[in-house]
């Protein structure tokens, strides 16, 4: 069996080819239909060859503003209950959820409720009063450095923090966090540091973070199965963390049934 890495590489190459065809504005309908059909057959073949023996669930979707071009689903969202993975399965998309946090911060900047150059201290002044030099260092990070992933921190919440709640656990964890790399070094992503922006959003809007995101982003986009509330349950929720979604255009009209959690 080929490795998943090779599988994803093949899929990406085909998807880039499809993107090129679409974006180049090809108007030859008959030839276009033939090309699309061949690509669909090749994509199906790759998935069948590489996932035939897989027991966990998987989903691949390729779409543009006009709708779904190709999709493939297989395995189980829940192995024990034999619930099949399908297009109605609700998926946790993990780190992609931070993009909604960044978008919200940028929206608040446009509304003059947040300043890109401000430090975390500007919104959480209580950090200065906590007896922790490391936490004070975190408080001195700028909003901009966190959005650009140039904070110097790179870490995830450890497994020991079961049922992690950023209201209760985040500051306690950051008391022991280290700024491993110098600031301005790109791609030093730290999920706990990004979670700080959730607290900033609450201070800037005076509303609960999860409620505010649902009200201003998810609900207007009709993303009815998307939430940051950890206790909120959905029908057909997958036991697995994420699937790969290929999106050719940012402004798609297709509904997305994702559970957003870190």
């Amino acid at each position: 069996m080929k490795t998943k890495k090779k599988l994803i590489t093949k899929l990406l190459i085909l998807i880039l080819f499809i993107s090129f065809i679409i974006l180049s504005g090809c108007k030859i309908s008959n030839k276009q239909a033939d090309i699309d059909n061949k690509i669909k057959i090749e994509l199906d073949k790759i998935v069948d060859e590489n996932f035939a023996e897989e027991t966990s669930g998987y989903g691949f979707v390729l779409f543009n503003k006009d709708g779904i071009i190709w999709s493939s689903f297989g395995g189980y969202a829940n192995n024990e209950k034999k619930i099949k993975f399908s297009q109605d399965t609700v998926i946790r998309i993990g780190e992609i959820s931070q993009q909604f946090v960044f978008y919200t911060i940028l929206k608040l900047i446009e509304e003059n409720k947040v300043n890109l150059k401000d430090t975390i201290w500007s919104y959480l002044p209580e950090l200065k009063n906590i007896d922790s030099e490391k936490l004070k260092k975190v408080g001195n990070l700028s909003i901009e450095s966190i959005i650009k992933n140039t904070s110097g921190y790179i870490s995830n919440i450890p497994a020991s923090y079961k049922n992690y709640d950023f209201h209760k656990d985040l500051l306690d964890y950051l008391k022991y966090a280290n700024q491993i790399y110098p600031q301005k070094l790109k791609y030093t992503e730290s999920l706990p540091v990004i979670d700080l922006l959730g607290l900033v959003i609450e201070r800037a809007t005076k509303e609960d973070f999860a409620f505010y995101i649902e009200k201003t982003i998810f609900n207007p986009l009709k993303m009815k199965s998307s939430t940051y509330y950890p206790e909120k349950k959905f029908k057909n929720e997958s036991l697995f963390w994420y699937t790969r979604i290929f999106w050719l255009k940012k402004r798609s009209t297709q509904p997305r049934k994702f559970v957003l959690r870190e």
Side-chain angles (χ1 to χ4, degrees):
M1 181 182 289
K2 298 176 182 178
T3 64
K4 288 185 180 180
K5 186 175 181 180
K6 288 182 179 179
L7 165 65
I8 298 305
T9 301
K10 275 193 173 184
L11 287 172
L12 286 174
I13 291 172
L14 285 169
I15 285 159
L16 287 173
F17 178 57
I18 296 169
S19 302
F20 172 76
I21 292 171
I22 292 172
L23 297 176
S24 65
C26 179
K27 302 298 181 181
I28 308 174
S29 58
N30 291 335
K31 290 185 178 179
Q32 181 66 56
D34 291 340
I35 291 172
D36 285 350
N37 189 52
K38 288 179 181 179
I39 291 174
K40 290 174 185 177
I41 291 172
E42 185 63 24
L43 287 170
D44 286 335
K45 182 180 177 182
I46 292 172
V47 173
D48 289 342
E49 288 178 351
N50 289 272
F51 284 86
E53 298 177 10
E54 292 289 332
T55 56
S56 58
Y58 66 85
F60 295 94
V61 178
L62 175 63
F63 61 93
N64 62 11
K65 63 182 181 63
D66 298 319
I68 295 175
I69 298 171
W70 169 84
S71 64
S72 179
F73 303 92
Y76 295 93
N78 187 315
N79 289 335
E80 292 181 359
K81 296 182 179 180
K82 298 301 178 184
I83 299 173
K84 290 187 176 182
F85 197 102
S86 71
Q87 63 181 4
D88 295 320
T89 300
V90 177
I91 311 155
R92 305 179 186 187
I93 61 171
E95 293 180 33
I96 299 176
S97 61
Q98 68 183 264
Q99 304 307 321
F100 288 91
V101 176
F102 293 166
Y103 171 81
T104 303
I105 288 290
L106 294 175
K107 186 173 181 291
L108 293 174
I109 289 171
E110 287 184 348
E111 296 172 358
N112 295 317
K113 294 180 180 179
V114 171
N115 189 306
L116 198 61
K117 301 296 182 181
D118 281 347
T119 64
I120 294 296
W121 273 343
S122 303
Y123 305 91
L124 304 172
E126 65 269 23
L127 295 187
K128 291 185 178 181
N129 301 321
I130 297 177
D131 187 22
S132 170
E133 292 302 317
K134 288 185 177 180
L135 200 51
K136 289 178 182 178
K137 200 172 182 180
V138 169
N140 201 39
L141 292 174
S142 68
I143 302 295
E144 183 177 31
S145 71
I146 296 174
I147 289 180
K148 289 183 176 180
N149 284 330
T150 58
S151 67
Y153 290 82
I154 178 166
S155 60
N156 201 348
I157 296 295
S160 58
Y161 280 74
K162 293 181 179 179
N163 301 317
Y164 166 74
D165 183 325
F166 81 104
H167 288 105
K168 301 176 181 178
D169 303 320
L170 178 59
L171 297 186
D172 180 63
Y173 171 74
L174 290 174
K175 287 180 183 179
Y176 308 98
N178 292 312
Q179 196 173 41
I180 300 172
Y181 300 103
Q183 280 189 260
K184 298 185 178 180
L185 184 66
K186 289 188 177 182
Y187 311 121
T188 55
E189 180 187 68
S190 173
L191 301 184
V193 170
I194 292 171
D195 278 359
L196 273 174
L197 296 183
L199 297 179
V200 169
I201 290 169
E202 289 191 335
R203 292 298 173 88
T205 64
K206 296 180 174 58
E207 294 188 52
D208 173 76
F209 166 74
F211 172 77
Y212 183 78
I213 298 291
E214 280 197 7
K215 181 181 75 172
T216 61
I217 298 180
F218 298 156
N219 290 342
L221 292 174
K222 298 181 180 180
M223 297 170 66
K224 296 180 180 179
S225 294
S226 299
T227 186
Y228 278 95
Y229 285 112
E231 68 278 5
K232 198 167 184 177
K233 302 298 180 184
F234 295 100
K235 186 179 179 181
N236 297 325
E237 185 173 338
S238 174
L239 296 178
F240 307 103
W241 275 101
Y242 67 94
T243 191
R244 297 198 178 259
I245 303 297
F246 299 110
W247 199 357
L248 296 183
K249 294 266 188 171
K250 290 185 178 179
R251 295 173 181 258
S252 172
T253 57
Q254 293 298 307
R256 285 158 289 165
K257 298 184 178 182
F258 299 154
V259 178
L260 295 155
R261 296 182 187 143
E262 288 299 343

